[in-house]
């Protein structure tokens, strides 16, 4: 069985006022690694667009990611 990771995305979106985000998901090693790689901001932006459609992202660099092994 492949090792699993808990990935938490934290930050603030704009959707009828500020919306504080603290979303946690369980991913495999390959998927979790994309959140810490060179293209991490593109991955975070895609993640937010899927989970919060219609919300505006004021600055993607204000988002942080925490990755923990389970």
């Amino acid at each position: 069985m492949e090792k699993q990771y808990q990935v938490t995305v934290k930050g603030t979106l704009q959707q009828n006022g500020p919306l504080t985000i603290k979303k946690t998901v369980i991913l495999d090693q390959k998927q979790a690694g994309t959140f810490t790689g060179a293209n991490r901001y593109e991955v975070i932006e895609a993640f937010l667009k899927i989970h919060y459609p219609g919300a505006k992202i004021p600055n993607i660099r204000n988002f942080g990611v925490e990755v923990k092994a389970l």
Side-chain angles (χ1 to χ4, degrees), residues 31-42:
Q31 290 175 326
T34 63
F35 281 89
T36 59
N39 298 326
R40 65 184 171 275
Y41 292 115
E42 294 170 10

Side-chain angles (χ1 to χ4, degrees), residues 48-63:
L48 293 171
K49 287 182 178 182
I50 290 169
H51 289 280
Y52 301 96
K56 293 189 184 353
I57 303 169
N59 186 358
I60 194 64
R61 301 218 181 251
N62 289 338
F63 280 85

Side-chain angles (χ1 to χ4, degrees), residues 1-2 8 16 24 28 31 38 42 45-46 50 58-59 67 70:
M1 187 166 135
E2 192 168 349
T8 304
N16 294 333
T24 303
D28 63 21
Q31 290 175 326
E42 294 170 10
E45 186 174 3
I50 290 169
N59 186 358
V67 179
L70 296 179

